[in-house]
Amino acid sequence: MIKYAHSVPDRSESEWELLEEHAQAVALRASTFAAGFEGQEIACLLGMIHDLGKIKPRFQAKLRGEANNEPHSGEGARLLQSHYGGLGLLLGACVAGHHSGLPDIADLHPRLAATQDIQLPEWLTLPAEIAPFGPLLGAPSPFSVQFAVRMLFSCLIDADELETAAFYDGLTGNSVTRAPHTVTEAHKAAFDEHMAGFDGAEGPVNTLRTEILATARKRATLTPGLFSMTVPTGGGKTLASLGFSLDHALVHGMERIIHVIPFTSIVEQTADVFSRILEPEAVVEHHSSFDWENVTEDEAQQRLRRVTRNWDAPIIVTTAVQFFESLFAARKRRCAKLHNLARSVIVIDEAQTMPRHLLRPCLAAIRELTAYYGASVVLSTATQPVVTREAGLDAPEALSGVRELAPDPPALYRALKRVRVTDVGEMGDDALTKRIEAASQVLTIVGNRRHARVLFARVADLPGSAHLSTMMTPMHRRNVLAQVRENLRDGAPTRLISTSLVEAGVDIDFPLVMRAATGLDSVAQAAGRCNREGKLTTLGEVLVFTPMGDDAKAPEEIRARAEITKKIIAAHSDDPLSEVAIAEYFRRYLWQVGPEALDAATVSSERGVVTVGILKEIAATGNDLNIRFDAIARAFRMIDDAQAPVIIRGGRWGIPDNLLKSLEWREGTGGIARALQPYIVNVPHGLRRELEINRAASLWREDLFGREFLLLDHGNLYDERAGMRMDKIDEGDWIW
């Protein structure tokens, strides 16, 4: 009897997709995806077997319209377990979770026990045994095993979704054109043409930038693996890393470039720069604000959804949260992209921002990608964390054999030194206000949004005063920065109060920067906003102060980092941002706490099993391979303080009423999400719930987005100079 994989309502069964044809198509595509890490045979097997449960008469009846909830993923998983033992059980997790996600293995057993015995179709022949490949050869570590399973899962779910979409697109003639998905010579030529526009640019800084780029590109012929790019702020490391990546990919036949950035705002900025240099079609930005699910618009939007789901594009610009959390993910949406990390050039910008409590898992994943999946990883930063075995990091995951791409980093730092850093001790808000008032042009960076708001209120009436924080919409922040740059350029008074977001690659140039005490790497980032272009006749001033008062109270970890910074500045008062001083800071910050603190996430499950340490949890599986995929994914969180978007409405910086009205009747979610982005503020989930409960905000387009977007109805909660009025929210005087 004929068995189908997919039905088509209101069409003859002759137009439905045969189960055999779907299985073969998914197997072929999955094996192609796995070729980058020699996993073709297993990926092919997963593709052939993933929908085997659809052969059941009850599921075929479901396709014909019978109302039942017959599942179909357990039968193939059970078959893999019965034929191939322990490894078969892990592969069975891929099949069992191909519509939802990788389950904890302990939760898989009862599912498999409940499946039916089925007779194999004639078109399915199982191999006698599973031949191990690459990371599974010899006696693989539990980490390598679980990583390989995630990679194979990625191949399966991406192939399944693409082939299913291809079938239905073929019926409607609405197929999505496949743009070039790998780096090409044309991209390199576009980069060369762009850089040629800087030939002959005068000044010592431009000369150094040219030398840095040329050196990095010369080293692109080095064999794939681990690299560092240690370039001081203002040295052009972003373009130098792009030049290296393009050359390196083409020399070694690598497929794509993935540029990982710690902050969402700089993802947008960097993607825009890359798009202008190369071509818009080549570059895709992907962060938490854009997951592009359920896009129903035109072909371009459909393609964008697909490439942000699986990163099948030449250049991907994404956040560290999206990148690292995907490496330990279990859910289908996060895992679909993983196989496209193989044979890619991965640039981790501001590498020092990898969180301390997850540092060892991050390093383990980097090692795995370069050891078994043909990837090159570039740690790009002005302040390299000491994470190598050669530097003395005492952890099994310490990197080794990292090759520097920049020419003589200590000499570069000396040549690009533009500031003097001084610890000025404790300063209350009265003293800070006087210092800001006395300076014509000053950037003051504090440790939290509350302190920034309170300090700004004190100086708001001074000429050129401005405020910057994540409580402002992107459009609002862009306008503030544009005005700040104009004032600085004209020599006008400029007094900017900001949170640390200004340190993330924002191109501004103050003669004086005041930074609340924090880690030395953040001080170095703040220093990058001081005398940035070297136009002062003397060194710029960076004053590190210890803020006082309840509004300025910092978390314990920040206080600990600040204390280390104070000691480093005292010991290296002549140059606390030198390579030697930075290395000493990271040794104290990362090593003094011991290796356990570098893998300190809590892995728990509904069964009450708790383990402190993701690597410890993975290693504990031992020969049983009882891996808790879902529990590990829930434990690996780069940011504990999850946030959600609120749409600001009206005023200077909210979405105009006419635009909002026009979006109320649009159907495609992709275009709507992008249109809303300039008017969104991300707030903690607790605050979002409070706004909704008290009717200060209401759900917008619940029909399309569910509970994704909340529209701020209480206009008094957004200040046109400083953003969301957290003071009013905290006081509760806004509640209706």
Side-chain angles (χ1 to χ4, degrees):
M1 182 177 178
I2 296 175
K3 303 294 182 181
Y4 297 101
H6 298 109
S7 59
V8 186
D10 303 322
R11 293 214 186 186
S12 164
E13 290 189 12
S14 63
E15 297 184 73
W16 293 12
E17 184 173 33
L18 295 175
L19 179 58
E20 177 182 0
E21 291 179 354
H22 177 66
Q24 290 174 343
V26 173
L28 177 60
R29 194 183 286 259
S31 64
T32 301
F33 288 159
F37 51 93
E38 301 177 352
Q40 300 97 307
E41 291 186 21
I42 295 181
C44 180
L45 175 61
L46 292 175
M48 290 297 296
I49 214 168
H50 77 286
D51 272 353
L52 187 61
K54 290 184 176 181
I55 207 169
K56 295 178 294 184
R58 186 170 162 80
F59 193 90
Q60 291 295 305
K62 181 179 179 179
L63 290 178
R64 292 185 170 91
E66 179 181 293
N68 69 57
N69 60 354
E70 185 68 22
H72 70 275
S73 60
E75 284 71 23
R78 180 181 175 186
L79 187 66
L80 288 168
Q81 179 197 27
S82 63
H83 274 67
Y84 307 114
L87 180 56
L89 178 62
L90 292 179
L91 298 178
C94 296
V95 171
H98 77 270
H99 282 298
S100 54
L102 288 167
D104 293 350
I105 295 301
D107 296 332
L108 182 59
H109 289 290
R111 284 182 60 186
L112 300 189
T115 60
Q116 301 178 18
D117 290 324
I118 58 174
Q119 184 176 355
L120 294 187
E122 294 181 357
W123 48 264
L124 179 61
T125 302
L126 297 179
E129 59 183 21
I130 294 178
F133 65 94
L136 299 183
L137 290 171
S141 69
F143 188 89
S144 289
V145 172
Q146 62 84 36
F147 200 94
V149 171
R150 281 189 171 85
M151 281 291 198
L152 290 164
F153 179 59
S154 173
C155 295
L156 172 62
I157 59 178
D158 194 22
D160 184 31
E161 181 157 325
L162 289 173
E163 287 300 334
T164 300
F167 168 70
Y168 285 110
D169 287 345
L171 290 173
T172 62
N174 189 33
S175 60
V176 176
T177 303
R178 182 179 174 84
H181 65 292
T182 59
V183 172
T184 67
E185 290 287 348
H187 298 135
K188 177 182 176 182
F191 180 80
D192 291 340
E193 182 179 355
H194 174 81
M195 298 310 300
F198 295 98
D199 287 350
E202 298 180 355
V205 172
N206 286 319
T207 299
L208 281 172
R209 288 171 178 165
T210 300
E211 180 185 354
I212 291 165
L213 174 62
T215 302
R217 298 189 77 173
K218 285 179 182 176
R219 294 174 180 173
T221 57
L222 294 172
T223 56
L226 289 165
F227 299 92
S228 60
M229 180 171 283
T230 311
V231 176
T233 300
K237 64 181 171 61
T238 299
L239 289 182
S241 66
L242 178 59
F244 165 82
S245 299
L246 289 168
D247 292 349
H248 191 63
L250 290 170
V251 166
H252 297 288
M254 304 170 84
E255 295 191 344
R256 60 190 50 82
I257 297 166
I258 299 167
H259 202 96
V260 182
I261 299 175
F263 306 105
T264 298
S265 59
I266 308 305
V267 168
E268 297 163 359
Q269 174 182 298
T270 304
D272 183 57
V273 170
F274 288 178
S275 294
R276 291 198 307 267
I277 293 173
L278 305 175
E279 59 177 353
E281 283 289 303
V283 182
V284 171
E285 68 178 79
H286 188 201
H287 48 78
S288 58
S289 297
F290 295 118
D291 281 323
W292 303 102
E293 291 300 303
N294 305 315
V295 171
T296 57
E297 284 195 5
D298 57 23
E299 178 179 321
Q301 293 288 358
Q302 291 180 50
R303 176 184 173 273
L304 183 57
R305 181 185 71 84
R306 291 183 184 180
V307 297
T308 51
R309 182 184 58 80
N310 65 8
W311 288 3
D312 188 14
I315 316 287
I316 297 290
V317 185
T318 190
T319 61
V321 171
Q322 186 71 238
F323 176 76
F324 283 110
E325 288 189 0
S326 294
L327 290 170
F328 292 88
R331 292 292 155 196
K332 175 179 178 178
R333 181 166 58 87
R334 274 285 176 91
C335 288
K337 65 179 75 74
L338 292 181
H339 68 89
N340 276 327
L341 300 180
R343 299 196 57 76
S344 291
V345 186
I346 302 166
V347 178
I348 302 178
D349 204 4
E350 306 301 350
Q352 79 282 355
T353 59
M354 288 184 286
R356 183 169 68 176
H357 74 294
L358 293 172
L359 181 62
R360 287 176 56 201
C362 288
L363 295 179
I366 289 171
R367 283 166 53 102
E368 202 74 14
L369 285 168
T370 56
Y372 298 113
Y373 297 90
S376 283
V377 175
V378 181
L379 303 178
S380 176
T381 178
T383 53
Q384 285 290 350
V386 283
V387 295
T388 65
R389 185 169 291 113
E390 292 83 353
L393 178 60
D394 184 20
E397 301 76 26
L399 305 181
S400 185
V402 179
R403 293 156 290 175
E404 178 59 53
L405 297 175
D408 194 356
L412 281 179
Y413 176 77
R414 291 191 296 271
L416 289 169
K417 181 179 178 181
R418 301 171 198 145
V419 302
R420 176 171 46 250
V421 178
T422 306
D423 183 357
V424 297
E426 294 181 350
M427 291 185 74
D429 284 356
D430 288 341
L432 274 173
T433 301
K434 290 179 181 178
R435 195 69 183 253
I436 293 167
E437 187 174 2
S440 175
Q441 295 185 336
V442 54
L443 166 62
T444 305
I445 305 173
V446 295
N448 63 66
R449 296 184 295 246
R450 180 191 295 274
H451 193 199
R453 173 64 70 100
V454 169
L455 190 58
F456 175 68
R458 284 171 162 263
V459 303
D461 293 333
L462 294 176
S465 64
H467 175 268
L468 204 63
S469 87
T470 54
M471 287 292 100
M472 300 157 67
T473 66
M475 176 171 284
H476 191 174
R477 294 199 303 266
R478 284 196 295 268
N479 182 273
V480 168
L481 285 171
Q483 187 62 55
V484 164
R485 292 187 182 105
E486 182 179 337
N487 290 349
L488 290 170
R489 186 170 58 249
D490 295 343
T494 315
R495 298 174 171 95
L496 179 60
I497 312 297
S498 178
T499 60
S500 61
L501 74 87
V502 77
E503 296 168 354
V506 177
D507 186 9
I508 51 177
D509 190 355
F510 281 85
L512 171 64
V513 171
M514 302 178 65
R515 181 51 163 105
T518 183
L520 191 60
D521 53 329
S522 295
V523 172
Q525 290 296 314
R529 312 316 122 195
C530 182
N531 196 21
R532 185 177 179 87
E533 297 300 326
K535 294 179 180 179
L536 298 178
T537 56
T538 61
L539 293 175
E541 290 286 347
V542 177
L543 306 181
V544 180
F545 64 93
T546 301
M548 307 299 292
D550 292 339
D551 293 324
K553 190 173 182 180
E556 181 179 347
E557 184 182 342
I558 297 297
R559 295 200 299 272
R561 295 176 64 187
E563 188 60 32
I564 297 172
T565 298
K566 183 180 286 290
K567 293 176 181 177
I568 296 296
I569 292 177
H572 299 269
S573 57
D574 57 327
D575 194 357
L577 300 184
S578 67
E579 190 178 45
V580 172
I582 291 291
E584 184 177 341
Y585 165 78
F586 277 116
R587 288 190 180 98
R588 293 192 186 194
Y589 173 60
L590 297 177
W591 298 0
Q592 282 185 159
V593 294
E596 291 79 13
L598 307 183
D599 178 28
T602 299
V603 185
S604 58
S605 72
E606 295 178 357
R607 298 170 182 269
V609 180
V610 175
T611 304
V612 177
I614 286 173
L615 297 179
K616 184 177 180 180
E617 164 65 30
I618 293 171
T621 62
N623 294 328
D624 295 335
L625 298 177
N626 189 22
I627 298 171
R628 294 196 287 161
F629 289 106
D630 188 55
I632 290 167
R634 285 185 278 108
F636 192 99
R637 286 291 178 266
M638 298 279 284
I639 301 175
D640 294 331
D641 180 18
Q643 299 196 329
V646 172
I647 308 166
I648 306 303
R649 179 179 189 173
R652 291 184 66 191
W653 312 120
I655 187 167
D657 286 341
N658 60 344
L659 176 56
L660 186 65
K661 187 173 181 62
S662 72
L663 295 177
E664 288 177 354
W665 305 107
R666 290 177 62 175
E667 293 299 322
T669 58
I672 293 175
R674 182 167 288 278
L676 292 173
Q677 179 60 25
Y679 311 104
I680 282 174
V681 171
N682 286 301
V683 302
H685 282 283
L687 172 57
R688 188 179 189 271
R689 286 193 295 271
E690 190 177 349
L691 290 170
E692 186 178 1
I693 289 170
N694 288 286
R695 295 183 296 130
S698 55
L699 291 173
W700 185 82
R701 290 302 307 271
E702 191 174 3
D703 59 322
L704 271 184
F705 294 102
R707 302 187 60 79
E708 178 69 16
F709 287 119
L710 204 66
L711 182 66
L712 188 68
D713 297 319
H714 200 309
N716 289 337
L717 290 180
Y718 194 91
D719 182 88
E720 292 196 348
R721 292 195 70 188
M724 286 283 285
R725 291 293 303 269
M726 303 301 290
D727 55 336
K728 280 185 172 290
I729 293 172
D730 292 339
E731 293 164 7
D733 62 1
W734 55 279
I735 297 176
W736 292 355

